[in-house]
């Protein structure tokens, strides 16, 4: 099934190119389309804009009856307060470390495994691949209790490795790289390299990595976003007062603590969102491509 | 295995490297019949045979340690009475039968279901419409795509904290706007349905654009001639959307339904943070407590890990049921597609 689906996008794309002049589909958008899409963009972006607005007012102003709609003067004050008093700076560093390590290792291991599943024949390949896909549906709730006991026994509560280690490689990544390499890497290339006497590590380094680089970049971004935003397990393994990631620190700001200065809470939210929004603004097209490539081929 | 390599190599590899072990021409210095070469060929075979397993090992080791073992251990725990840090006492199905008679459990199950439905259904319908709009020839296409995807870059925590302000009963913008329109303020946190709707809005906001882009990619792979044929038959654009687009991307729709359903079953961060100080129990009257929240409360607040494990396994059971239904639907789908393709082929043949 996967195989037949794999071949559809390029085939459809070439057909598009051939038929463009008379295509029965590519209607130009009418004014109503622009209105509706504009509305959708507004709804999508407004909460983010309002987050910025709220982070630039005092705590008292944010909770006054008509909520502010325009930026106020206190953005820098709030930023420095959140940065120093609530240790958003430390959380930002922690999150960067976690998301960086997780995405590096996921990309590396997923590429190796994806290459094996795509191009190397071995006994049990089909069944093992099915197992990889099946694991994607197991929710994290099913493993957190034993995991919590393990990290308690090891003394890893509040240690970043308790968040990094379980995420070293993801089924989604393995599947994603396999789908990409099946199409992008000609089997003959691998075999020719083998004929020339290259052993597997050389093949990985000189053939697979260069071919896989675009997919590796996209996967890295997707995993980075996911790891950056991950909440459930970090919330259990790390505490807001110990060594939190941004999401855990934010949860502490929003729920547990009694110092509820909503402007500071929302400044924290802004700090946690802004880096990813910048990534999206710069690499938006690639992220869009990656999401669709990962999903449609399932 | 070795033969397939050789066979393929025949076509593409340069002559000097061809056919290892086939007598060897003068140029192939790699084929010297010495002990060293035997060793190398052993290494070579080992490389071929073992390397695939080495490459997939990291995934399976990680999964065994952090996925499979905990999964089974959770099942074992669910049959015991265990406190945090204490030793386990056998309890048999006691935890499960306690769940069956617990009004908290049934309340959480019902909430998970209702929040799941009112977040997943509108989300996917809106995503379909959005994808359809984005599929037109557009100016500023890139902007619209990135804009609707921006919520996806926002974390659960950040999004929920922002929306908790927007939904605030006293000063939130949403009640302000409702006031302009002549409605009474809604108490979004303390009443059951408004709270569940508010949480669903957060979920929907974060995921609609993401799903829309998945649909868009699937729509762009739909063969154009289907639309041309439909247009020739006099189908309106709406008719084309309903009779060509939707059936063509049905596998993708099914995929998003499954993914969103799985996500909805695990809802945790949104209700917890939306509830503020009473978030852990899903509101003052548990009016939006989900299964995940109940599990967390049982395990980490009450300290009853056995009961929490039982809830986790009930969630697995739910997902297995969902997976089973999905498998049934996709099988009947495949059959239908096969029939349709057969019909279409016959029609094309008859037409040409």
């Amino acid at each position: 099934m996967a195989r037949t689906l794999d071949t559809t996008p390029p085939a459809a794309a070439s057909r598009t190119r051939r038929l463009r002049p008379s295509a029965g589909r590519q209607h130009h958008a009418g004014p109503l389309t622009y209105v509706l899409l504009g509305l959708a963009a507004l709804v999508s972006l407004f909460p983010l804009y309002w987050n910025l607005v709220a982070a630039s007012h005092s705590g008292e102003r944010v909770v006054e009856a008509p909520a502010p709609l325009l930026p106020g003067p206190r953005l820098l004050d709030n930023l420095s307060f959140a940065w120093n008093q609530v240790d958003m700076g430390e959380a930002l560093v922690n999150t960067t470390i976690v998301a960086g390590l997780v995405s590096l290792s996921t990309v590396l291991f997923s590429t190796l495994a994806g290459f094996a599943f795509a191009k190397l024949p071995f006994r049990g390949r089909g069944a093992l691949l099915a197992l990889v896909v099946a694991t994607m549906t197991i929710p994290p709730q099913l493993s957190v209790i034993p995991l919590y006991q393990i990290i308690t026994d090891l003394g890893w509560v509040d240690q970043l490795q308790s968040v990094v280690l379980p995420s070293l490689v993801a089924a989604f990544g393995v599947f994603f790289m396999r789908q990409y390499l099946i199409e992008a890497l000609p089997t003959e290339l691998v075999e020719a390299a083998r004929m020339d006497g290259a052993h597997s590590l050389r093949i990985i380094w000189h053939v697979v990595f260069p071919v896989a680089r675009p997919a590796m970049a996209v996967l890295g971004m997707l995993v980075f976003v996911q790891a950056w935003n991950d909440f459930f397990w970090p919330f259990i393994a790390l505490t807001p007062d110990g060594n939190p990631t941004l999401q855990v620190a934010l949860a502490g700001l929003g729920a547990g603590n009694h110092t509820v200065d909503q402007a500071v809470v929302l400044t924290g939210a802004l700090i946690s969102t802004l880096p990813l929004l910048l990534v999206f603004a710069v690499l938006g097209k690639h992220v869009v491509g990656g999401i669709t490539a990962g999903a449609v081929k399932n | 295995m070795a033969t397939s390599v050789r066979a393929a190599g025949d076509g593409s590899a340069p002559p000097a490297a061809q056919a290892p072990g086939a007598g060897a021409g003068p140029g192939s210095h790699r084929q010297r019949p010495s002990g060293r070469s035997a060793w190398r060929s052993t290494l070579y075979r080992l490389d071929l045979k073992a390397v695939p397993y080495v490459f997939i090992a990291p995934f399976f080791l990680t999964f065994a340690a952090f996925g499979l073992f905990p999964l089974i251990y959770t099942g074992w725990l669910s049959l015991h009475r265990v406190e945090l840090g204490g030793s386990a006492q056998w309890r048999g199905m006691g935890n499960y039968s306690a769940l069956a008679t617990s009004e908290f459990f049934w309340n959480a199950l019902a909430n998970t279901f209702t929040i799941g439905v009112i977040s997943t259904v509108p989300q996917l319908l809106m995503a379909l419409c959005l994808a359809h709009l984005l599929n037109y020839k557009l100016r500023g296409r890139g902007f619209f795509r990135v804009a609707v995807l921006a919520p996806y870059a926002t974390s659960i925590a950040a999004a929920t904290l922002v929306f908790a302000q927007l939904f605030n009963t006293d000063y939130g913008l949403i009640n302000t706007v409702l006031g302009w329109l002549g409605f009474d303020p809604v108490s979004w946190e303390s009443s059951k349905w408004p709270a569940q709707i508010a949480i669903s809005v957060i979920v929907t906001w974060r995921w609609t654009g993401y799903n829309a882009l998945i649909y868009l990619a699937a729509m762009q792979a739909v063969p154009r001639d289907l639309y041309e044929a439909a247009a020739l038959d006099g189908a309106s654009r709406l008719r084309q959307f309903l009779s060509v687009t939707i059936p063509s991307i049905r596998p993708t729709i099914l995929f998003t339904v499954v993914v969103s359903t799985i996500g909805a079953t695990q809802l945790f961060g949104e209700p917890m943070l939306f509830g503020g100080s009473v978030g852990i129990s899903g509101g003052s009257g548990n009016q939006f407590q989900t299964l995940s929240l109940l599990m967390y409360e049982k395990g980490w607040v009450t300290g009853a890990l056995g009961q929490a494990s039982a809830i986790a396994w009930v969630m697995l059971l739910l997902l297995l049921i969902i997976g089973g239904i999905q498998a049934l639907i996709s099988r009947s789908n495949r059959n239908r597609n096969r029939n349709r393709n057969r019909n279409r082929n016959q029609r094309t043949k008859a037409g040409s």
Side-chain angles (χ1 to χ4, degrees):
Chain A
M1 181 198 116
R3 187 168 274 271
T4 51
L5 274 179
D6 280 344
T7 55
T8 40
S14 67
R15 200 175 296 139
T16 318
R17 229 167 284 130
R18 195 154 39 86
L19 288 179
R20 183 159 290 159
S22 66
R25 184 68 193 133
Q26 277 276 354
H27 299 297
H28 282 276
L32 183 63
T33 303
Y34 283 103
V35 170
L36 291 174
L37 281 177
L39 210 62
L42 187 72
V43 171
S44 295
L45 295 178
F46 179 77
L48 298 171
Y49 165 77
W50 190 78
N51 189 357
L52 178 68
V53 170
S56 65
H57 284 278
S58 68
E60 297 85 46
R61 177 67 192 90
V62 171
V63 298
E64 252 170 44
L69 281 174
L70 293 174
R74 302 214 5 135
L75 182 62
L76 291 179
D77 295 341
N78 284 337
L79 276 178
S80 78
F81 186 80
W83 197 265
N84 297 321
Q85 305 291 308
V86 207
D87 251 351
M88 291 305 280
E90 189 203 10
L92 190 64
V93 172
N94 283 343
T95 312
T96 311
I97 293 173
V98 167
L101 285 178
V102 166
S103 43
L104 271 182
S105 99
T106 302
V107 166
L108 174 69
F109 289 138
S110 299
T111 309
L112 293 181
F115 168 60
F117 279 122
K119 296 293 168 180
L120 302 179
F122 59 93
R123 194 184 285 267
R125 183 166 83 163
L128 288 172
L129 183 66
L131 186 61
V132 170
V133 175
T135 62
M136 282 197 250
T137 56
I138 300 177
Q141 277 80 354
L142 273 153
S143 39
V144 291
I145 294 166
L147 278 188
Y148 185 74
Q149 290 194 323
I150 294 172
I151 66 164
T152 315
D153 289 346
L154 293 172
W156 282 4
V157 175
D158 276 335
Q159 305 286 309
L160 292 185
Q161 68 263 34
S162 59
V163 177
V164 174
L165 283 179
S167 311
L168 280 181
V169 51
F172 165 75
V174 174
F175 190 67
F176 181 88
M177 290 310 301
R178 173 195 175 261
Q179 298 300 88
Y180 181 80
L181 285 173
I182 271 188
E183 275 180 58
L185 179 63
T187 310
E188 294 78 24
L189 207 58
V190 180
E191 281 163 358
R194 240 202 249 289
M195 286 295 116
D196 288 344
H199 51 76
S200 296
L201 281 183
R202 278 185 75 106
I203 294 180
I204 284 289
W205 190 254
H206 291 289
V207 179
V208 178
F209 279 173
V211 170
R213 196 173 293 145
M216 289 164 87
V218 167
L219 178 63
M221 272 182 319
L222 293 179
V223 174
F224 192 87
V225 171
Q226 214 164 33
W228 186 281
N229 285 337
D230 196 13
F231 181 67
F232 184 61
W233 171 241
F235 176 73
I236 291 173
L238 311 172
T239 55
D241 301 322
N243 206 14
T245 58
L246 278 170
Q247 313 309 332
V248 179
L250 262 184
L253 274 181
N257 291 7
H258 294 290
T259 56
V260 193
D261 181 334
Q262 294 300 343
V264 173
V265 172
L266 291 165
T267 307
L270 190 69
I271 293 176
S272 84
T273 311
L274 225 44
L276 283 190
L277 280 183
L278 287 179
V279 170
F280 265 51
V282 176
L283 300 170
K285 221 167 54 180
H286 301 277
V287 183
V288 170
I291 285 174
T292 52
V296 174
K297 291 179 178 181
N298 262 290
Chain B
M1 153 74 237
T3 52
S4 79
V5 168
R6 217 171 293 157
D10 279 341
S12 57
Q18 220 177 59
S28 83
H29 45 270
R30 232 176 293 117
Q31 300 301 324
R32 251 175 293 157
S34 65
R36 195 160 149 243
S37 139
W39 170 236
R40 290 190 77 163
S41 83
T42 312
L43 263 188
Y44 176 77
R45 241 173 309 139
L46 194 71
D47 188 36
L48 277 186
K49 276 221 179 313
V51 151
Y53 295 106
V54 174
F55 284 173
I56 64 173
F59 172 80
F60 284 99
L61 290 178
T62 314
F63 172 66
F66 300 111
L68 187 63
F69 164 70
L71 175 78
I72 295 166
Y73 193 70
T74 305
W76 183 84
L77 279 179
S78 76
L79 304 174
H80 290 75
R81 183 192 304 277
V82 205
E83 305 290 314
L84 260 180
S87 60
Q89 280 173 293
W90 177 253
R91 210 186 164 195
M93 297 305 284
N95 285 322
Y96 292 94
S97 56
L99 283 188
T101 55
S102 152
E103 57 174 307
F104 291 107
F105 169 74
W106 291 109
N107 171 55
L109 186 66
N111 287 343
T112 307
F113 179 76
T114 49
I115 298 178
V117 170
I118 57 181
S119 60
T120 307
V121 174
Q123 179 194 131
L124 295 182
L125 287 177
M126 276 163 38
L128 261 181
C129 298
L130 206 52
H132 180 68
L133 295 177
L134 287 168
N135 201 17
Y136 282 115
K137 244 185 188 162
L138 277 176
R139 273 169 204 284
R141 203 176 48 179
F143 164 77
F144 285 122
R145 289 185 185 181
V146 174
V148 299
L149 194 62
Y152 167 77
T154 316
S155 70
I156 288 175
T160 308
L161 292 174
V162 169
F163 271 92
Q165 296 297 308
L166 294 175
F167 274 114
N168 187 284
T169 307
D170 301 321
Y171 54 83
L173 264 181
I174 289 170
N175 270 352
T176 308
V177 172
L178 286 180
W180 292 340
L181 300 174
F183 293 99
D184 289 333
V186 178
S187 58
W188 291 106
E189 266 169 70
S190 48
S191 324
K192 180 177 175 176
W193 286 107
Q196 296 203 357
I197 289 170
I199 290 165
S200 304
V201 166
I202 305 170
V203 178
T204 305
W205 178 75
R206 278 191 73 225
W207 290 105
T208 300
Y210 175 89
N211 284 308
L213 289 174
I214 291 176
Y215 289 150
L216 176 65
M219 284 178 186
Q220 291 182 336
V222 177
R224 310 265 143 166
D225 46 359
L226 287 183
Y227 291 106
E228 286 174 7
L232 282 179
D233 289 346
S236 68
R237 283 192 197 175
L238 180 66
R239 190 80 243 165
Q240 289 181 27
F241 178 70
L242 293 177
S243 311
V244 178
T245 309
I246 300 284
S248 304
I249 67 170
R250 193 174 283 153
T252 307
I253 295 179
L254 193 62
F255 166 77
T256 57
V257 168
V258 172
V259 170
S260 327
T261 315
I262 291 175
T265 328
Q266 305 167 20
L267 224 50
F268 175 78
E270 291 92 341
M272 192 202 93
L273 291 167
F274 184 75
S277 54
V278 286
I280 289 292
S281 31
S284 43
N286 311 106
Q287 69 271 27
F288 49 89
Q289 186 166 46
T290 58
L291 282 178
S292 291
L293 272 178
L294 183 64
M295 186 196 108
Y296 181 84
E297 194 182 36
K298 283 272 181 246
W300 277 268
V301 182
T302 318
L305 289 179
Q307 291 220 9
S309 303
I311 298 173
W313 264 67
V314 169
M315 292 174 69
L316 180 66
L317 191 69
L318 282 178
L319 288 173
L320 286 178
I321 294 173
I322 295 168
I325 295 174
Q326 180 246 345
L328 281 180
I329 296 179
S330 73
R331 186 184 303 160
S332 77
N333 239 341
R334 258 203 302 279
N335 291 340
R336 196 179 322 186
N337 273 342
R338 207 174 297 142
N339 291 338
R340 210 184 46 216
N341 286 340
R342 204 167 42 218
N343 291 344
R344 180 154 28 109
N345 289 342
Q346 279 166 358
R347 228 180 306 146
T348 353
K349 244 178 256 162
S352 61

